[in-house]
C-alpha cells in the first residue's frame, strides 16, 4: 500500500514538473495559459530560431519578456493578448516579426528593439494601449499598416539616425 502511494506521489511530482517547464515549441504548438508568469527561453535549438504562431497567446500573468539571441523570427500572434506584459526586449538577431505578434498587449509600456528588422509588420503592436514611446531602429525601412493602431497612449515615435524608413502604412 505504501509503495502504491509512493509511486503515485512520484507520478504527481513528475506531472507537476512538466507543467512548470515549457518544452520547446514547434510551429503550430500553443501555450494558452493564464498561470504562466515567467518564460525562460533558453536552449531553443529545436525551434530553428522561430517562436511559432500563437505560441504564448493569452499568457496574462507574463510581465517581462526578453527574447533570446537564438531567435530570428516571431510568427503571427505569438504573444497576442498577453495583457500584463509591460516590458519587451527584442535582440539584434530578430529580423522578422509577423503580423499581430504583440497585438492587444494592453499593459506593454516599454519596448526595446535592438533588431535588424526591415519592417514593422501589419498590426504588430496594435492596441498596445499603454505604449507611450517607441524608438525605430535604423534598419527599419517600412512600417506597415496598423502597426500601432489603437495605441491610444503613444505620444512619441523616435527614429534612430540615420532613418531608413521610406514607407509608413495607414492607420498607424
Amino acid at each position: 500500500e505504501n509503495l502504491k502511494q509512493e509511486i503515485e506521489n512520484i507520478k504527481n511530482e513528475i506531472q507537476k514538473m512538466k507543467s512548470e517547464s515549457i518544452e520547446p515549441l514547434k510551429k503550430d504548438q500553443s501555450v494558452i495559459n493564464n498561470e504562466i508568469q515567467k518564460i525562460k527561453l533558453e536552449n531553443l535549438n529545436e525551434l530553428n530560431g522561430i517562436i511559432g504562431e500563437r505560441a504564448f497567446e493569452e499568457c496574462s500573468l507574463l510581465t517581462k519578456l526578453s527574447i533570446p539571441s537564438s531567435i530570428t523570427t516571431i510568427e503571427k500572434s505569438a504573444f497576442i493578448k498577453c495583457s500584463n506584459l509591460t516590458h519587451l526586449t527584442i535582440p539584434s538577431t530578430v529580423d522578422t516579426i509577423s503580423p499581430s505578434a504583440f497585438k492587444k498587449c494592453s499593459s506593454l509600456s516599454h519596448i526595446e528593439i535592438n533588431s535588424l528588422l526591415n519592417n514593422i509588420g501589419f498590426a504588430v503592436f496594435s492596441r498596445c494601449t499603454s505604449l507611450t514611446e517607441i524608438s525605430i531602429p535604423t534598419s527599419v525601412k517600412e512600417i506597415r499598416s496598423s502597426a500601432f493602431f489603437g495605441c491610444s497612449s503613444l505620444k512619441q515615435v523616435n527614429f534612430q539616425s540615420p532613418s531608413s524608413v521610406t514607407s509608413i502604412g495607414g492607420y498607424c
Side-chain angles (χ1 to χ4, degrees):
E1 192 64 36
N2 285 341
L3 182 59
K4 284 184 181 180
Q5 183 60 44
E6 188 63 29
I7 291 171
E8 191 62 34
N9 289 343
I10 291 170
K11 285 181 182 178
N12 288 338
E13 192 62 32
I14 290 170
Q15 188 61 34
K16 182 180 175 188
M17 288 169 47
K18 284 183 180 179
S19 70
E20 289 176 352
S21 65
I22 297 175
E23 299 286 325
L25 298 173
K26 294 180 174 59
K27 187 175 174 87
D28 298 325
Q29 284 183 317
S30 294
V31 174
I32 300 176
N33 190 329
N34 291 329
E35 296 180 14
I36 293 176
Q37 294 177 336
K38 182 178 180 182
I39 299 172
K40 190 172 185 179
L41 299 172
E42 293 180 349
N43 302 320
L44 298 178
N45 295 334
E46 291 181 42
L47 291 179
N48 297 318
I50 297 170
I51 295 177
E53 186 172 326
R54 296 186 180 272
F56 296 99
E57 178 179 7
E58 293 186 54
C59 289
S60 62
L61 295 181
L62 179 65
T63 58
K64 292 183 180 182
L65 178 63
S66 183
I67 307 291
S69 60
S70 59
I71 298 297
T72 59
T73 301
I74 301 170
E75 290 193 338
K76 181 179 177 184
S77 304
F79 294 93
I80 193 168
K81 297 180 188 176
C82 290
S83 58
N84 287 309
L85 180 63
T86 60
H87 287 73
L88 170 64
T89 304
I90 302 170
S92 60
T93 55
V94 173
D95 59 16
T96 303
I97 302 177
S98 298
S100 303
F102 298 96
K103 184 177 183 176
K104 295 185 181 179
C105 292
S106 56
S107 296
L108 188 57
S109 59
H110 179 81
I111 300 172
E112 183 180 335
I113 304 174
N114 301 308
S115 185
L116 298 176
L117 286 174
N118 286 322
N119 70 70
I120 296 178
F122 174 78
V124 166
F125 298 109
S126 176
R127 301 199 190 277
C128 292
T129 55
S130 296
L131 186 61
T132 59
E133 180 179 352
I134 189 162
S135 290
I136 308 298
T138 58
S139 61
V140 173
K141 294 176 178 56
E142 179 182 17
I143 299 174
R144 296 207 173 138
S145 128
S146 301
F148 299 100
F149 177 79
C151 294
S152 54
S153 299
L154 186 60
K155 304 288 185 235
Q156 187 168 343
V157 178
N158 302 311
F159 293 89
Q160 293 176 358
S161 184
S163 175
S164 300
V165 174
T166 59
S167 173
I168 298 177
Y171 304 106
C172 280

